[in-house]
Amino acid sequence: MTNTIFEEKVFKNIPEIKYEGESSTNPFAFKYYQAEEIIGGMPMKDHLRFAMSYWHTFTFKGTDPFGLPTMKREWDSLGNPMSIAKGRVVAAFEFMQKLGIEYFCFHDVDVAPEGQTLEETERNLYEIVDLIEEKMNETGIKLLWGTTNAFSHRRFMHGAATSCQASVFARAAAQVKIAMDITKRLGGENYVLWGGREGYETLLNTDTKLELDNFARFLKMVVNYKNEIGFTGQLLIEPKPKEPTKHQYDFDTATVLGFLRNYGLEKEFKMNIEANHATLAGHTFQHELNMARINGALGSIDANQGDLLLGWDTDQFPTNIYDAVMAMYEVLKQGGIAPGGLNFDAKVRRASFEPEDLFFAYIAGMDTFAKGLRVAYRLIEDRILEDFIEKRYESYSNGIGKDIIDGKVGLSDLYQYALKHDDFKLASGRQEMLESIVNSYIFQTK
Ligand code: XUL
Ligand code: CO
């Protein structure tokens, strides 16, 4: 079936992307990403676990609030929506193979058109899933995570699990059920819940208590269903502070952790941290990764970047090396990202409309994170930050500091101590010195 969709390979003019090293000027080559190179006893590809986002790469057409589609895609000329959907699958697997990407992620609606009824939608979806499964078997490419889109359709205008309409809650639940079934069938290693419209626009019409309780009820159903079908993957929540709604309940990692703990769900979910969502929340990418990590909740990463001059989710390919270093630093400190990975939840700009641009974008993102991994690994190996931080807090390893840590003292004891000790032995934080060292690691690491 698959061979009859296109007469020739879709990306026939593009070579297989190989590693050529730092001095290469070939735009169709990796300069830093060498999949099999061992770093710290593990191939780079297993540290990074790169995934392709189906929606941005194969479904996105270059529209924005002011403009029509710009992308030139061969599959769009295949006629009816189901043929286009099949063409996308064939093209997507060819694309991943050319880049050596071993994972992908998708929402139900990215891969198959919605029908008039839920039944028809489900039929369409399973027809495409059959083809996806065939291609996965043929190529060995795996599913990092599946999810459902419960935010684009007009039925979700008031939310999905937090909608004021119970029938919409039910529809969202049905979609999650189907998407979880599919994720399990395809051997997905994670299942993601991003609360696209789980939030509110105005408190004039919103019962926040009921909405939050319902959101928790929904997540409990997800956990129950996971156990019912024996899905062994990791459940992930993806924090985002705003957009599409003005205020989203999954604002950031700290908010989500508080919510999960409030409803006794903290053992069931980890975070899928997205760089652009972190910056929209007024945090750095590293802050969000760090908060998740120290709370044992760092599950996976949506690797992209925003534009700090624009106040919305621009979902650009990650090219900022500093952010990539510090992101990989957090990943290494937690002992790896598996079973999560690095999903490029990123899209090419609408003026980058040619198929080649998709390759350039992924090469840029993969090289940035590969170099980030190399630098972060060396920083940790040389204990550059660790030794400094250890020394900075050494007052807690003996004397009164140790008593505080051991819970041996209270306010009265500390009052007595403070009466006698007002020499605070403060030391410089040395921020600029550390920044300079990190820079030299970036400059010098091959
Ligand atoms: C939206 C976003 C989503 C999730 C999956 O900002 O990041 O694409 O990653 O629904
Ligand atoms: Co995302």
Side-chain angles (χ1 to χ4, degrees), residues 134-150:
E134 194 184 301
K135 285 284 167 191
M136 287 173 76
N137 292 336
E138 192 182 305
T139 59
I141 289 170
K142 294 166 276 190
L143 178 61
L144 185 68
W145 50 259
T147 190
T148 188
N149 176 328

Side-chain angles (χ1 to χ4, degrees), residues 52-121:
M52 182 200 77
S53 62
Y54 206 98
W55 55 103
H56 283 317
T57 317
F58 284 89
T59 318
F60 174 65
K61 293 186 172 182
T63 49
D64 72 8
F66 300 95
L68 297 171
T70 59
M71 299 297 155
K72 273 195 175 163
R73 304 291 186 239
E74 213 174 310
W75 48 92
D76 283 332
S77 57
L78 289 172
N80 69 62
M82 280 304 276
S83 306
I84 292 174
K86 286 179 190 170
R88 272 197 204 114
V89 176
V90 174
F93 279 84
E94 194 188 313
F95 179 78
M96 287 186 275
Q97 275 194 300
K98 280 226 152 124
L99 279 158
I101 294 182
E102 294 190 341
Y103 289 93
F104 68 109
C105 303
F106 73 101
H107 306 75
D108 42 10
V109 306
D110 310 329
V111 299
E114 283 202 72
Q116 295 297 320
T117 61
L118 179 60
E119 261 183 306
E120 196 190 331
T121 299

Side-chain angles (χ1 to χ4, degrees), residues 49 146 259 286 290 362 424:
R49 294 168 60 84
F259 168 82
Q286 190 186 1
N290 182 278
Y362 273 85
F424 296 115

Side-chain angles (χ1 to χ4, degrees), residues 48 285-286 289 301 305 318-333 342 365-380 384-385 434-435 437-445:
L48 294 161
F285 184 21
Q286 190 186 1
L289 293 167
I301 292 177
Q305 72 187 29
T319 52
N320 181 322
I321 182 60
Y322 211 95
D323 283 351
V325 168
M326 298 324 295
M328 289 317 295
Y329 178 83
E330 294 296 329
V331 167
L332 291 172
K333 291 299 276 184
L342 259 79
M366 290 163 80
D367 264 343
T368 303
F369 269 87
K371 170 102 179 183
L373 166 66
R374 290 170 189 276
V375 176
Y377 181 77
R378 283 199 53 220
L379 274 175
I380 292 174
I384 295 301
L385 305 179
L434 293 168
E435 286 170 343
I437 297 174
V438 171
N439 275 356
S440 62
Y441 270 70
I442 293 174
F443 299 146
Q444 285 159 26
T445 303

Side-chain angles (χ1 to χ4, degrees), residues 280-336:
L280 285 177
H283 300 309
T284 61
F285 184 21
Q286 190 186 1
H287 169 89
E288 282 294 87
L289 293 167
N290 182 278
M291 284 299 118
R293 173 172 71 79
I294 64 167
N295 283 286
L298 175 53
S300 198
I301 292 177
D302 268 8
N304 64 10
Q305 72 187 29
D307 185 324
L308 296 182
L309 299 183
L310 301 173
W312 64 91
D313 192 11
T314 58
D315 281 335
Q316 288 164 240
F317 274 84
T319 52
N320 181 322
I321 182 60
Y322 211 95
D323 283 351
V325 168
M326 298 324 295
M328 289 317 295
Y329 178 83
E330 294 296 329
V331 167
L332 291 172
K333 291 299 276 184
Q334 107 149 350

